[in-house]
Amino acid sequence: MNRTKGDEEEYWNSSKFKAFTFDDEDDELSQLKESKRAVNSLRDFVDDDDDDDLERVSWSGEPVGSISWSIKETAGNSGSNQEGREQLRSRNSFSSYPQLPKPTSTYSLSSLFRGRTRLGSFQSLSDALSDTPAKSYAPELGRPRGEYRVCSLERFRSLQDKLQLLEEAVSMHDGNVITAVLIFLKRTLSKEILFRELEVRQVALRHLIHFLKEIGDQKLLLDLFRFLDRTEELALSHYREHLNIQDPEKRKEFLKTCIGLPFSAEDSAHIQDHYTLLERQIIIEANDRHLELAGQTEIFRKHPRKASILNMPLVTTLFYSCFYHYSEAEGTFSSPVNLKKTFKIPDKQYVLTALAARAKLRAWHDVDALFTTKNWLGYTKKRAPIGFHRVVEILHKNNAPVQILQEYVNLVEDVDTKLNLAIKFKCHDVVIDTCRDLKDRQQLLAYRSKVDKGSAEEEKIDAALSSSQIRWKN
């Protein structure tokens, strides 16, 4: 939207631009704020730092702006990210002012869908697009605010004087001053002249782009991107408008218009996924709301929905589907298997999400089936792409019976990890059997004091300690 002169002066007086130093180590994307509403944490179900390439999620019932899921490892990109930050610091040095090349788009859907903050948390695309930090644009303040004097810029009438004024503002390395001058130029110059002069003044250009985003002048921003021939940034700026559309059907139709825009190949796939996901969510929401109101479906009677599924991230939608629609045929839109195939969700992400959902419902038969595989000879075995130690943690957090816990603790391959988990979760039989197999008499003696007197576990320990067939190592 366009702002009046009074709005712009109010913006300037409110000093919304924050100061920063170019010694800061973070670039723009690494400073995008994390959306806690979109993806709270799978730590609600598992408190484990392993496999941190998986997005964490909880069905909190709080709405989010758009699809936000990430299933690819980013460790391989850490080196290039650090190199990019070094280049950014070098490029933004004010020791000299060589003409800068035309920058590529500062947006990247692929980066946003795949990226994290420095703390390893996933950001939502909505927050990333709507909350770009000011620090990448506003240079360090040269002096305290108390020393500023308000002065009129109206005496700068000629184009030459206005451009000289802008050069002086940039040379001060003061973001507030640059912004004030840009507001003046925006008001007193035609956009064609303004764009032409800023194209060769990259520092001021970046300030103007950020300012237009801050005040919501989408029309002028789009005109600027067209003039600069930044087609991908133009497309992304248009895509950002979906955040302002509250009606799900209208948002879906708007996203449909974004599919043909000039995104990169990878980003185009994400836009298509966003449209497809919202389309599915609208269908699921309408059907589930009807079933819930009818009161004839057991799962909705026992576990009423906390909120609408509309506009939830993909991984949250998968959790919701595994919670309410787990046994549905693949042909239905709400089927977890259908979601997995449609959006190409890896086995690791799918199993972790399905396990969290079914364990929360205490559907232990489903949990067992999730890890049971059958070979071509018909023999069955347990397999867990996320590691059985993760399975045990999630089961324990959902108060699984000790018999089930012991079964999965026994499937942990690493002996030390198995023993530690068994002791932690009081799986006595596993501890006793493991100590006996390790021929560790001292640890078995120590564990004897932790079981109840006269219990079956104490008798089992005594029988092992008195056995003449075990050659103890200590």
Side-chain angles (χ1 to χ4, degrees), residues 101-145:
K102 180 186 294 185
T104 56
S105 170
T106 55
Y107 285 133
S108 171
L109 275 180
S110 56
S111 297
L112 293 172
F113 276 74
R114 195 168 53 230
R116 311 177 185 198
T117 62
R118 275 203 309 166
L119 298 178
S121 301
F122 286 80
Q123 65 237 6
S124 87
L125 179 60
S126 303
D127 282 350
L129 291 175
S130 62
D131 203 4
T132 307
K135 65 186 295 182
S136 297
Y137 299 93
E140 184 178 14
L141 290 173
R143 54 187 176 183
R145 286 194 60 184

mmCIF file of all heavy atoms in Angstrom, residues 101-145:
data_model
loop_
_atom_site.group_PDB
_atom_site.id
_atom_site.type_symbol
_atom_site.label_atom_id
_atom_site.label_comp_id
_atom_site.label_asym_id
_atom_site.label_seq_id
_atom_site.Cartn_x
_atom_site.Cartn_y
_atom_site.Cartn_z
ATOM 1 N N PRO A 101 28.219 -4.932 -8.539
ATOM 2 C CA PRO A 101 27.455 -5.607 -9.582
ATOM 3 C C PRO A 101 26.015 -5.748 -9.149
ATOM 4 O O PRO A 101 25.686 -5.689 -7.970
ATOM 5 C CB PRO A 101 28.145 -6.978 -9.689
ATOM 6 C CG PRO A 101 28.731 -7.194 -8.333
ATOM 7 C CD PRO A 101 29.159 -5.826 -7.856
ATOM 8 N N LYS A 102 25.143 -5.967 -10.130
ATOM 9 C CA LYS A 102 23.719 -6.163 -9.816
ATOM 10 C C LYS A 102 23.574 -7.388 -8.924
ATOM 11 O O LYS A 102 23.988 -8.481 -9.280
ATOM 12 C CB LYS A 102 22.919 -6.374 -11.097
ATOM 13 C CG LYS A 102 21.421 -6.587 -10.824
ATOM 14 C CD LYS A 102 20.673 -6.944 -12.084
ATOM 15 C CE LYS A 102 20.679 -5.804 -13.069
ATOM 16 N NZ LYS A 102 19.839 -6.117 -14.263
ATOM 17 N N PRO A 103 23.013 -7.225 -7.721
ATOM 18 C CA PRO A 103 22.923 -8.362 -6.811
ATOM 19 C C PRO A 103 21.877 -9.349 -7.273
ATOM 20 O O PRO A 103 20.890 -8.981 -7.903
ATOM 21 C CB PRO A 103 22.509 -7.702 -5.481
ATOM 22 C CG PRO A 103 21.756 -6.485 -5.910
ATOM 23 C CD PRO A 103 22.424 -6.007 -7.173
ATOM 24 N N THR A 104 22.113 -10.605 -6.920
ATOM 25 C CA THR A 104 21.071 -11.597 -7.168
ATOM 26 C C THR A 104 20.015 -11.456 -6.093
ATOM 27 O O THR A 104 20.188 -10.743 -5.115
ATOM 28 C CB THR A 104 21.659 -13.023 -7.111
ATOM 29 O OG1 THR A 104 22.290 -13.194 -5.841
ATOM 30 C CG2 THR A 104 22.684 -13.211 -8.218
ATOM 31 N N SER A 105 18.922 -12.146 -6.282
ATOM 32 C CA SER A 105 17.815 -12.030 -5.340
ATOM 33 C C SER A 105 18.254 -12.421 -3.939
ATOM 34 O O SER A 105 18.918 -13.433 -3.732
ATOM 35 C CB SER A 105 16.668 -12.949 -5.782
ATOM 36 O OG SER A 105 15.699 -13.014 -4.779
ATOM 37 N N THR A 106 17.891 -11.601 -2.952
ATOM 38 C CA THR A 106 18.201 -11.949 -1.569
ATOM 39 C C THR A 106 17.231 -12.980 -1.030
ATOM 40 O O THR A 106 17.450 -13.542 0.027
ATOM 41 C CB THR A 106 18.132 -10.699 -0.674
ATOM 42 O OG1 THR A 106 16.847 -10.086 -0.832
ATOM 43 C CG2 THR A 106 19.217 -9.708 -1.058
ATOM 44 N N TYR A 107 16.138 -13.208 -1.733
ATOM 45 C CA TYR A 107 15.211 -14.276 -1.378
ATOM 46 C C TYR A 107 15.648 -15.573 -2.054
ATOM 47 O O TYR A 107 16.206 -15.577 -3.130
ATOM 48 C CB TYR A 107 13.803 -13.965 -1.890
ATOM 49 C CG TYR A 107 13.044 -12.925 -1.125
ATOM 50 C CD1 TYR A 107 12.373 -11.912 -1.788
ATOM 51 C CD2 TYR A 107 12.967 -12.983 0.255
ATOM 52 C CE1 TYR A 107 11.648 -10.965 -1.095
ATOM 53 C CE2 TYR A 107 12.238 -12.039 0.956
ATOM 54 C CZ TYR A 107 11.581 -11.035 0.281
ATOM 55 O OH TYR A 107 10.856 -10.115 0.955
ATOM 56 N N SER A 108 15.365 -16.661 -1.447
ATOM 57 C CA SER A 108 15.492 -17.954 -2.097
ATOM 58 C C SER A 108 14.572 -18.917 -1.387
ATOM 59 O O SER A 108 14.780 -19.238 -0.228
ATOM 60 C CB SER A 108 16.930 -18.468 -2.031
ATOM 61 O OG SER A 108 16.987 -19.799 -2.477
ATOM 62 N N LEU A 109 13.552 -19.354 -2.090
ATOM 63 C CA LEU A 109 12.632 -20.306 -1.461
ATOM 64 C C LEU A 109 13.348 -21.582 -1.076
ATOM 65 O O LEU A 109 13.100 -22.160 -0.031
ATOM 66 C CB LEU A 109 11.483 -20.625 -2.419
ATOM 67 C CG LEU A 109 10.299 -19.665 -2.414
ATOM 68 C CD1 LEU A 109 9.271 -20.129 -3.415
ATOM 69 C CD2 LEU A 109 9.696 -19.567 -1.034
ATOM 70 N N SER A 110 14.267 -22.030 -1.942
ATOM 71 C CA SER A 110 14.968 -23.266 -1.625
ATOM 72 C C SER A 110 15.776 -23.112 -0.346
ATOM 73 O O SER A 110 15.835 -24.020 0.478
ATOM 74 C CB SER A 110 15.878 -23.667 -2.791
ATOM 75 O OG SER A 110 16.771 -22.627 -3.101
ATOM 76 N N SER A 111 16.405 -21.933 -0.166
ATOM 77 C CA SER A 111 17.154 -21.695 1.063
ATOM 78 C C SER A 111 16.225 -21.639 2.266
ATOM 79 O O SER A 111 16.521 -22.184 3.324
ATOM 80 C CB SER A 111 17.943 -20.392 0.951
ATOM 81 O OG SER A 111 18.890 -20.469 -0.070
ATOM 82 N N LEU A 112 15.086 -20.971 2.093
ATOM 83 C CA LEU A 112 14.180 -20.814 3.215
ATOM 84 C C LEU A 112 13.530 -22.125 3.613
ATOM 85 O O LEU A 112 13.341 -22.417 4.787
ATOM 86 C CB LEU A 112 13.105 -19.785 2.868
ATOM 87 C CG LEU A 112 13.622 -18.348 2.702
ATOM 88 C CD1 LEU A 112 12.518 -17.466 2.165
ATOM 89 C CD2 LEU A 112 14.135 -17.803 4.011
ATOM 90 N N PHE A 113 13.189 -22.952 2.609
ATOM 91 C CA PHE A 113 12.570 -24.244 2.921
ATOM 92 C C PHE A 113 13.590 -25.195 3.527
ATOM 93 O O PHE A 113 13.264 -26.068 4.296
ATOM 94 C CB PHE A 113 11.983 -24.875 1.657
ATOM 95 C CG PHE A 113 10.604 -24.374 1.339
ATOM 96 C CD1 PHE A 113 10.426 -23.107 0.831
ATOM 97 C CD2 PHE A 113 9.506 -25.163 1.547
ATOM 98 C CE1 PHE A 113 9.168 -22.634 0.530
ATOM 99 C CE2 PHE A 113 8.236 -24.702 1.257
ATOM 100 C CZ PHE A 113 8.071 -23.435 0.737
ATOM 101 N N ARG A 114 14.863 -25.006 3.136
ATOM 102 C CA ARG A 114 15.876 -25.941 3.580
ATOM 103 C C ARG A 114 16.632 -25.428 4.790
ATOM 104 O O ARG A 114 17.223 -26.187 5.527
ATOM 105 C CB ARG A 114 16.857 -26.166 2.428
ATOM 106 C CG ARG A 114 17.765 -27.357 2.595
ATOM 107 C CD ARG A 114 18.487 -27.655 1.296
ATOM 108 N NE ARG A 114 19.160 -26.494 0.772
ATOM 109 C CZ ARG A 114 19.040 -26.074 -0.471
ATOM 110 N NH1 ARG A 114 18.244 -26.717 -1.311
ATOM 111 N NH2 ARG A 114 19.695 -25.012 -0.905
ATOM 112 N N GLY A 115 16.583 -24.117 5.020
ATOM 113 C CA GLY A 115 17.497 -23.502 5.967
ATOM 114 C C GLY A 115 17.045 -23.526 7.397
ATOM 115 O O GLY A 115 15.926 -23.868 7.723
ATOM 116 N N ARG A 116 17.979 -23.119 8.257
ATOM 117 C CA ARG A 116 17.719 -23.000 9.678
ATOM 118 C C ARG A 116 18.336 -21.727 10.203
ATOM 119 O O ARG A 116 19.127 -21.091 9.554
ATOM 120 C CB ARG A 116 18.356 -24.155 10.470
ATOM 121 C CG ARG A 116 18.069 -25.525 9.934
ATOM 122 C CD ARG A 116 18.813 -26.507 10.780
ATOM 123 N NE ARG A 116 18.678 -27.845 10.255
ATOM 124 C CZ ARG A 116 18.918 -28.920 10.964
ATOM 125 N NH1 ARG A 116 19.292 -28.812 12.191
ATOM 126 N NH2 ARG A 116 18.776 -30.105 10.438
ATOM 127 N N THR A 117 18.007 -21.405 11.433
ATOM 128 C CA THR A 117 18.719 -20.349 12.113
ATOM 129 C C THR A 117 20.005 -20.940 12.658
ATOM 130 O O THR A 117 20.242 -22.135 12.602
ATOM 131 C CB THR A 117 17.885 -19.806 13.288
ATOM 132 O OG1 THR A 117 17.685 -20.863 14.219
ATOM 133 C CG2 THR A 117 16.536 -19.310 12.808
ATOM 134 N N ARG A 118 20.840 -20.098 13.229
ATOM 135 C CA ARG A 118 22.116 -20.598 13.743
ATOM 136 C C ARG A 118 21.923 -21.614 14.850
ATOM 137 O O ARG A 118 22.757 -22.473 15.072
ATOM 138 C CB ARG A 118 22.956 -19.428 14.285
ATOM 139 C CG ARG A 118 23.762 -18.725 13.227
ATOM 140 C CD ARG A 118 24.926 -18.004 13.818
ATOM 141 N NE ARG A 118 24.529 -17.151 14.923
ATOM 142 C CZ ARG A 118 25.385 -16.629 15.768
ATOM 143 N NH1 ARG A 118 26.661 -16.883 15.676
ATOM 144 N NH2 ARG A 118 24.972 -15.837 16.742
ATOM 145 N N LEU A 119 20.832 -21.523 15.578
ATOM 146 C CA LEU A 119 20.616 -22.436 16.687
ATOM 147 C C LEU A 119 20.067 -23.774 16.241
ATOM 148 O O LEU A 119 19.769 -24.623 17.042
ATOM 149 C CB LEU A 119 19.651 -21.809 17.705
ATOM 150 C CG LEU A 119 20.169 -20.507 18.350
ATOM 151 C CD1 LEU A 119 19.116 -19.963 19.293
ATOM 152 C CD2 LEU A 119 21.466 -20.758 19.083
ATOM 153 N N GLY A 120 19.912 -23.962 14.935
ATOM 154 C CA GLY A 120 19.462 -25.245 14.427
ATOM 155 C C GLY A 120 17.970 -25.384 14.338
ATOM 156 O O GLY A 120 17.455 -26.457 14.066
ATOM 157 N N SER A 121 17.237 -24.317 14.553
ATOM 158 C CA SER A 121 15.790 -24.397 14.494
ATOM 159 C C SER A 121 15.307 -24.047 13.107
ATOM 160 O O SER A 121 15.914 -23.244 12.416
ATOM 161 C CB SER A 121 15.170 -23.447 15.515
ATOM 162 O OG SER A 121 15.602 -23.778 16.806
ATOM 163 N N PHE A 122 14.200 -24.588 12.727
ATOM 164 C CA PHE A 122 13.652 -24.332 11.409
ATOM 165 C C PHE A 122 12.783 -23.097 11.433
ATOM 166 O O PHE A 122 11.997 -22.904 12.347
ATOM 167 C CB PHE A 122 12.823 -25.532 10.936
ATOM 168 C CG PHE A 122 13.670 -26.672 10.535
ATOM 169 C CD1 PHE A 122 14.213 -27.517 11.478
ATOM 170 C CD2 PHE A 122 13.960 -26.905 9.205
ATOM 171 C CE1 PHE A 122 15.000 -28.569 11.105
ATOM 172 C CE2 PHE A 122 14.746 -27.967 8.824
ATOM 173 C CZ PHE A 122 15.263 -28.795 9.774
ATOM 174 N N GLN A 123 12.942 -22.274 10.419
ATOM 175 C CA GLN A 123 12.107 -21.099 10.323
ATOM 176 C C GLN A 123 10.958 -21.364 9.382
ATOM 177 O O GLN A 123 11.069 -22.147 8.479
ATOM 178 C CB GLN A 123 12.912 -19.904 9.827
ATOM 179 C CG GLN A 123 13.432 -20.083 8.407
ATOM 180 C CD GLN A 123 14.923 -19.961 8.328
ATOM 181 O OE1 GLN A 123 15.589 -19.850 9.329
ATOM 182 N NE2 GLN A 123 15.452 -19.972 7.130
ATOM 183 N N SER A 124 9.840 -20.684 9.595
ATOM 184 C CA SER A 124 8.742 -20.823 8.649
ATOM 185 C C SER A 124 8.942 -19.860 7.504
ATOM 186 O O SER A 124 9.495 -18.783 7.666
ATOM 187 C CB SER A 124 7.392 -20.547 9.320
ATOM 188 O OG SER A 124 7.102 -19.173 9.286
ATOM 189 N N LEU A 125 8.482 -20.257 6.334
ATOM 190 C CA LEU A 125 8.609 -19.389 5.173
ATOM 191 C C LEU A 125 7.846 -18.101 5.395
ATOM 192 O O LEU A 125 8.284 -17.025 5.005
ATOM 193 C CB LEU A 125 8.085 -20.104 3.932
ATOM 194 C CG LEU A 125 8.136 -19.304 2.629
ATOM 195 C CD1 LEU A 125 9.566 -18.926 2.309
ATOM 196 C CD2 LEU A 125 7.534 -20.104 1.508
ATOM 197 N N SER A 126 6.709 -18.177 6.075
ATOM 198 C CA SER A 126 5.902 -16.978 6.303
ATOM 199 C C SER A 126 6.668 -15.953 7.121
ATOM 200 O O SER A 126 6.724 -14.774 6.784
ATOM 201 C CB SER A 126 4.626 -17.353 7.046
ATOM 202 O OG SER A 126 3.923 -18.316 6.333
ATOM 203 N N ASP A 127 7.279 -16.411 8.227
ATOM 204 C CA ASP A 127 8.029 -15.468 9.046
ATOM 205 C C ASP A 127 9.245 -14.960 8.296
ATOM 206 O O ASP A 127 9.646 -13.810 8.435
ATOM 207 C CB ASP A 127 8.487 -16.144 10.348
ATOM 208 C CG ASP A 127 7.355 -16.246 11.347
ATOM 209 O OD1 ASP A 127 6.307 -15.621 11.090
ATOM 210 O OD2 ASP A 127 7.523 -16.923 12.353
ATOM 211 N N ALA A 128 9.857 -15.847 7.499
ATOM 212 C CA ALA A 128 11.031 -15.429 6.751
ATOM 213 C C ALA A 128 10.697 -14.316 5.774
ATOM 214 O O ALA A 128 11.453 -13.363 5.604
ATOM 215 C CB ALA A 128 11.614 -16.621 5.996
ATOM 216 N N LEU A 129 9.552 -14.430 5.113
ATOM 217 C CA LEU A 129 9.183 -13.419 4.126
ATOM 218 C C LEU A 129 8.661 -12.158 4.771
ATOM 219 O O LEU A 129 8.753 -11.077 4.197
ATOM 220 C CB LEU A 129 8.116 -13.991 3.182
ATOM 221 C CG LEU A 129 8.594 -15.082 2.239
ATOM 222 C CD1 LEU A 129 7.413 -15.624 1.453
ATOM 223 C CD2 LEU A 129 9.668 -14.577 1.298
ATOM 224 N N SER A 130 8.093 -12.281 5.975
ATOM 225 C CA SER A 130 7.433 -11.120 6.557
ATOM 226 C C SER A 130 8.269 -10.404 7.594
ATOM 227 O O SER A 130 7.908 -9.321 8.031
ATOM 228 C CB SER A 130 6.117 -11.552 7.212
ATOM 229 O OG SER A 130 6.359 -12.450 8.263
ATOM 230 N N ASP A 131 9.413 -10.979 7.987
ATOM 231 C CA ASP A 131 10.162 -10.389 9.094
ATOM 232 C C ASP A 131 11.640 -10.307 8.786
ATOM 233 O O ASP A 131 12.474 -10.671 9.590
ATOM 234 C CB ASP A 131 9.940 -11.219 10.363
ATOM 235 C CG ASP A 131 10.198 -10.395 11.602
ATOM 236 O OD1 ASP A 131 10.464 -9.187 11.452
ATOM 237 O OD2 ASP A 131 10.137 -10.951 12.697
ATOM 238 N N THR A 132 12.004 -9.843 7.606
ATOM 239 C CA THR A 132 13.405 -9.683 7.249
ATOM 240 C C THR A 132 14.023 -8.628 8.146
ATOM 241 O O THR A 132 13.482 -7.556 8.313
ATOM 242 C CB THR A 132 13.534 -9.240 5.784
ATOM 243 O OG1 THR A 132 12.819 -10.141 4.982
ATOM 244 C CG2 THR A 132 14.990 -9.203 5.361
ATOM 245 N N PRO A 133 15.157 -8.904 8.771
ATOM 246 C CA PRO A 133 15.723 -7.974 9.731
ATOM 247 C C PRO A 133 16.264 -6.721 9.068
ATOM 248 O O PRO A 133 16.705 -6.735 7.938
ATOM 249 C CB PRO A 133 16.858 -8.784 10.371
ATOM 250 C CG PRO A 133 17.250 -9.753 9.320
ATOM 251 C CD PRO A 133 15.988 -10.096 8.578
ATOM 252 N N ALA A 134 16.267 -5.642 9.836
ATOM 253 C CA ALA A 134 16.765 -4.375 9.302
ATOM 254 C C ALA A 134 18.276 -4.316 9.323
ATOM 255 O O ALA A 134 18.867 -3.506 8.621
ATOM 256 C CB ALA A 134 16.190 -3.230 10.127
ATOM 257 N N LYS A 135 18.936 -5.145 10.107
ATOM 258 C CA LYS A 135 20.348 -4.954 10.352
ATOM 259 C C LYS A 135 21.214 -5.122 9.117
ATOM 260 O O LYS A 135 22.330 -4.637 9.075
ATOM 261 C CB LYS A 135 20.826 -5.885 11.464
ATOM 262 C CG LYS A 135 20.742 -7.351 11.125
ATOM 263 C CD LYS A 135 21.101 -8.191 12.324
ATOM 264 C CE LYS A 135 22.527 -7.992 12.735
ATOM 265 N NZ LYS A 135 22.905 -8.824 13.861
ATOM 266 N N SER A 136 20.708 -5.822 8.084
ATOM 267 C CA SER A 136 21.493 -5.968 6.875
ATOM 268 C C SER A 136 21.497 -4.700 6.037
ATOM 269 O O SER A 136 22.207 -4.628 5.056
ATOM 270 C CB SER A 136 20.953 -7.128 6.035
ATOM 271 O OG SER A 136 21.066 -8.336 6.727
ATOM 272 N N TYR A 137 20.678 -3.728 6.416
ATOM 273 C CA TYR A 137 20.521 -2.560 5.568
ATOM 274 C C TYR A 137 20.947 -1.256 6.230
ATOM 275 O O TYR A 137 21.335 -0.318 5.568
ATOM 276 C CB TYR A 137 19.056 -2.432 5.125
ATOM 277 C CG TYR A 137 18.610 -3.614 4.346
ATOM 278 C CD1 TYR A 137 17.997 -4.689 4.967
ATOM 279 C CD2 TYR A 137 18.848 -3.695 2.973
ATOM 280 C CE1 TYR A 137 17.614 -5.803 4.244
ATOM 281 C CE2 TYR A 137 18.467 -4.806 2.256
ATOM 282 C CZ TYR A 137 17.844 -5.849 2.895
ATOM 283 O OH TYR A 137 17.466 -6.951 2.180
ATOM 284 N N ALA A 138 20.812 -1.143 7.542
ATOM 285 C CA ALA A 138 21.057 0.129 8.199
ATOM 286 C C ALA A 138 22.437 0.160 8.825
ATOM 287 O O ALA A 138 22.686 -0.535 9.797
ATOM 288 C CB ALA A 138 20.003 0.354 9.278
ATOM 289 N N PRO A 139 23.382 0.925 8.303
ATOM 290 C CA PRO A 139 24.728 0.980 8.876
ATOM 291 C C PRO A 139 24.735 1.549 10.282
ATOM 292 O O PRO A 139 23.762 2.142 10.745
ATOM 293 C CB PRO A 139 25.473 1.896 7.899
ATOM 294 C CG PRO A 139 24.690 1.844 6.644
ATOM 295 C CD PRO A 139 23.273 1.671 7.062
ATOM 296 N N GLU A 140 25.863 1.415 10.933
ATOM 297 C CA GLU A 140 26.008 1.820 12.323
ATOM 298 C C GLU A 140 25.782 3.319 12.488
ATOM 299 O O GLU A 140 26.232 4.126 11.690
ATOM 300 C CB GLU A 140 27.415 1.464 12.798
ATOM 301 C CG GLU A 140 27.639 1.758 14.264
ATOM 302 C CD GLU A 140 29.027 1.338 14.676
ATOM 303 O OE1 GLU A 140 29.853 1.083 13.804
ATOM 304 O OE2 GLU A 140 29.268 1.284 15.886
ATOM 305 N N LEU A 141 25.067 3.679 13.541
ATOM 306 C CA LEU A 141 24.838 5.091 13.809
ATOM 307 C C LEU A 141 26.152 5.781 14.129
ATOM 308 O O LEU A 141 26.989 5.253 14.866
ATOM 309 C CB LEU A 141 23.881 5.256 14.990
ATOM 310 C CG LEU A 141 22.428 4.853 14.742
ATOM 311 C CD1 LEU A 141 21.655 4.921 16.051
ATOM 312 C CD2 LEU A 141 21.798 5.758 13.711
ATOM 313 N N GLY A 142 26.330 6.972 13.591
ATOM 314 C CA GLY A 142 27.577 7.691 13.806
ATOM 315 C C GLY A 142 27.624 8.427 15.123
ATOM 316 O O GLY A 142 28.685 8.739 15.627
ATOM 317 N N ARG A 143 26.450 8.738 15.717
ATOM 318 C CA ARG A 143 26.434 9.482 16.965
ATOM 319 C C ARG A 143 25.113 9.237 17.671
ATOM 320 O O ARG A 143 24.145 8.782 17.063
ATOM 321 C CB ARG A 143 26.622 10.973 16.681
ATOM 322 C CG ARG A 143 25.627 11.531 15.668
ATOM 323 C CD ARG A 143 25.979 12.957 15.298
ATOM 324 N NE ARG A 143 25.099 13.467 14.276
ATOM 325 C CZ ARG A 143 25.224 14.663 13.730
ATOM 326 N NH1 ARG A 143 26.205 15.462 14.110
ATOM 327 N NH2 ARG A 143 24.378 15.076 12.794
ATOM 328 N N PRO A 144 25.030 9.561 18.954
ATOM 329 C CA PRO A 144 23.794 9.321 19.708
ATOM 330 C C PRO A 144 22.631 10.107 19.132
ATOM 331 O O PRO A 144 22.805 11.177 18.552
ATOM 332 C CB PRO A 144 24.149 9.794 21.130
ATOM 333 C CG PRO A 144 25.631 9.763 21.185
ATOM 334 C CD PRO A 144 26.111 10.064 19.797
ATOM 335 N N ARG A 145 21.416 9.586 19.325
ATOM 336 C CA ARG A 145 20.222 10.238 18.787
ATOM 337 C C ARG A 145 20.026 11.629 19.361
ATOM 338 O O ARG A 145 19.485 12.515 18.715
ATOM 339 C CB ARG A 145 18.992 9.394 19.084
ATOM 340 C CG ARG A 145 18.884 8.150 18.242
ATOM 341 C CD ARG A 145 17.499 7.550 18.351
ATOM 342 N NE ARG A 145 16.495 8.502 17.888
ATOM 343 C CZ ARG A 145 15.192 8.263 17.947
ATOM 344 N NH1 ARG A 145 14.754 7.142 18.455
ATOM 345 N NH2 ARG A 145 14.327 9.163 17.514
#
